[in-house]
Amino acid sequence: MSDGAPHPTTTTPDPRRRSLVAGAALLAGLAPLQGLRAAEPLEPDEEALFMNGTARPTADGRLEVDIHAWIFEREHRWGLDSALARYLGLSLRKLSPAARLRFSQRTALFHAESEEDKVIDVVFDGSPTRITMPASGKDGRSNLRIVIDAPRDTREWVRYHGVTGPGELLHRFRGEALVVPEEGVSVISDIDDTIKRTQVRDRREMLLNTFARRFEAAPRMADWYRALAQAPGTRFHYLSSSPIQLYPALSDFIRSAGFPAGSMHLRESTTWRTLIPGDEDSRAHKLGTIERLLAEFPQRRFVLVGDSGEADPEIYAHVFRAHQARIDSIVIRDVTGEGRTSERYRATFDGIEPVRWHLVMPDTTAWPAQALN
């Protein structure tokens, strides 16, 4: 019997709408979980490789430090060395046992898997400063520029190490940043065929010299660089199109061959296909790095050292024309034997004063004294 009041009607929810609402709620709930996953520390089988960067004094007496890290996990599956050797066109069976061991050691990081969304803290030696690096990207890279109080006893280097948990110091993940004074001379040096014999123009020899043979220093170059290093405020920046996976081997070579220590600027390479760069990739990497160093240290003068085996003369001439007041000189190790009067050099250095660019022949016994004048 009706009481005269309206009765509420009962409706059945649309199952499609219910699904959409539930899906939206689920996505909203996942968002913070994704943020949490981005803050995961390194697992015990993951590593961090810090590359030598730069640090510059600030006006208030502190240091601005540039830190570059690659976070990865090594891959140990059987047959990886043989697969990479076949890809490069090399036969491991034809190599000596020592050469096979070197190949395995130098190519180990080409098998590594970059780790995404990983974080690592950095503690500076001689300082209580502890900072957290940004979460690594898909390429495993994490970069940070930070201003810190200068650690005590800091002269040419700021040293630091990775920390993955409270009190857990991972000393094998050590890093360094070269302190570059506001004024002075910076020597930007290529590596392959400039300070190290590589034979880039011969693919097979290049691969063997890079992966299987002992690294061989270019004659007299270490002596010349050490002499240049005696001038106060001189710093070295090693620039190469070699991939970052070769960083441990190349940094060991620079140290053992007696070259002055310096910052290292290698090329990104995440697949075997980019192991050997194309001409444009190499040019873009070198030009970009040089321009960045010029911008970061606006009051310093620069000497550019390279070789004639690739495009160093053309790259350096381009930089010189854009920054004539900043470039003291260009020095080219002439591994192609073209000579100063060749059509290549006449065209490349057209309009540049002859006293501003120099050729060093492989059998030359003296560094061009006017190169730093």
Side-chain angles (χ1 to χ4, degrees):
M1 186 172 159
S2 173
D3 58 6
H7 289 268
T9 58
T10 302
T11 60
T12 302
D14 183 342
R16 290 173 300 177
R17 176 176 175 79
R18 186 168 60 234
S19 176
L20 290 173
V21 171
L26 178 62
L27 289 175
L30 283 178
L33 292 179
Q34 290 173 339
L36 289 174
R37 284 202 301 270
E40 294 179 356
L42 274 64
E43 299 291 339
D45 55 354
E46 294 170 346
E47 302 179 46
L49 176 67
F50 292 101
M51 283 149 281
N52 283 6
T54 58
R56 60 179 180 176
T58 61
D60 60 359
R62 306 174 79 197
L63 287 174
E64 183 180 74
V65 185
D66 201 14
I67 303 176
H68 301 272
W70 176 35
I71 298 175
F72 59 91
E73 179 182 345
R74 293 179 186 265
E75 178 62 76
H76 300 288
R77 284 182 297 158
W78 181 87
L80 288 175
D81 285 352
S82 297
L84 179 55
R86 285 194 302 272
Y87 177 81
L88 296 173
L90 299 176
S91 173
L92 291 183
R93 290 178 298 177
K94 295 181 179 180
L95 300 179
S96 68
R100 286 198 298 271
L101 177 60
R102 278 192 288 272
F103 184 91
S104 179
Q105 292 171 337
R106 292 180 189 169
T107 62
L109 294 184
F110 289 97
H111 308 313
E113 180 180 354
S114 296
E115 294 296 325
E116 184 180 6
D117 290 339
K118 295 291 183 175
V119 293
I120 186 169
D121 286 3
V122 166
V123 174
F124 293 88
D125 294 12
S127 168
T129 302
R130 173 170 175 160
I131 55 99
T132 300
M133 297 284 291
S136 58
K138 291 183 178 179
D139 57 359
R141 297 301 303 273
S142 176
N143 303 314
L144 177 67
R145 181 168 294 187
I146 185 172
V147 176
I148 65 170
D149 292 328
R152 59 179 180 273
D153 299 328
T154 296
R155 294 182 182 180
E156 290 191 15
W157 292 92
V158 176
R159 294 183 168 85
Y160 52 87
H161 50 262
V163 179
T164 60
E168 184 183 359
L169 304 187
L170 302 180
H171 293 285
R172 67 182 181 276
F173 301 154
R174 296 190 64 82
E176 297 179 318
L178 178 68
V179 178
V180 181
E182 186 177 35
E183 297 181 352
V185 173
S186 278
V187 179
I188 299 180
S189 172
D190 179 53
I191 295 178
D192 292 308
D193 289 325
T194 298
I195 66 171
K196 181 176 75 67
R197 182 177 179 270
T198 305
Q199 296 179 272
V200 170
R201 292 174 299 140
D202 184 322
R203 178 185 169 91
R204 178 175 173 77
E205 288 297 301
M206 175 192 69
L207 293 172
L208 290 172
N209 288 328
T210 299
F211 295 116
R213 294 171 178 160
R214 292 182 182 275
F215 287 160
E216 180 182 335
R220 291 173 295 279
M221 293 299 289
D223 292 336
W224 290 337
Y225 278 26
R226 286 197 299 270
L228 295 178
Q230 297 305 308
T234 300
R235 295 293 187 268
F236 288 80
H237 312 279
Y238 295 99
L239 169 61
S240 174
S241 294
S242 294
I244 61 173
Q245 288 88 339
L246 287 173
Y247 172 80
L250 289 175
S251 58
D252 285 346
F253 161 75
I254 287 172
R255 180 174 57 254
S256 63
F259 288 94
S263 61
M264 293 277 283
H265 308 269
L266 305 183
R267 180 179 54 86
E268 299 287 345
S269 176
T270 55
T271 68
W272 290 1
R273 293 189 302 275
T274 59
L275 192 155
I276 300 175
D279 292 341
E280 288 305 312
D281 290 336
S282 178
R283 180 183 179 88
H285 167 68
K286 289 187 174 182
L287 278 174
T289 300
I290 294 172
E291 291 288 348
R292 188 162 57 252
L293 288 170
L294 284 163
E296 290 179 353
F297 306 105
Q299 298 187 50
R300 292 183 67 81
R301 303 174 352 257
F302 287 79
V303 174
L304 309 179
V305 187
D307 65 89
S308 62
E310 296 183 279
D312 288 349
E314 290 78 11
I315 292 171
Y316 292 171
H318 174 85
V319 172
F320 182 93
R321 291 189 176 94
H323 305 278
Q324 293 190 34
R326 307 284 312 282
I327 309 301
D328 276 9
S329 59
I330 296 170
V331 179
I332 299 296
R333 187 168 181 265
D334 189 12
V335 297
T336 53
E338 294 167 89
R340 191 178 177 93
T341 59
S342 70
E343 178 59 30
R344 177 189 184 185
Y345 291 131
R346 286 204 303 267
T348 298
F349 295 107
D350 182 44
I352 298 177
E353 294 178 86
V355 295
R356 305 294 291 277
W357 65 277
H358 314 274
L359 286 188
V360 175
M361 307 303 290
D363 58 352
T364 296
T365 58
W367 177 267
Q370 67 271 40
L372 287 179
N373 292 342

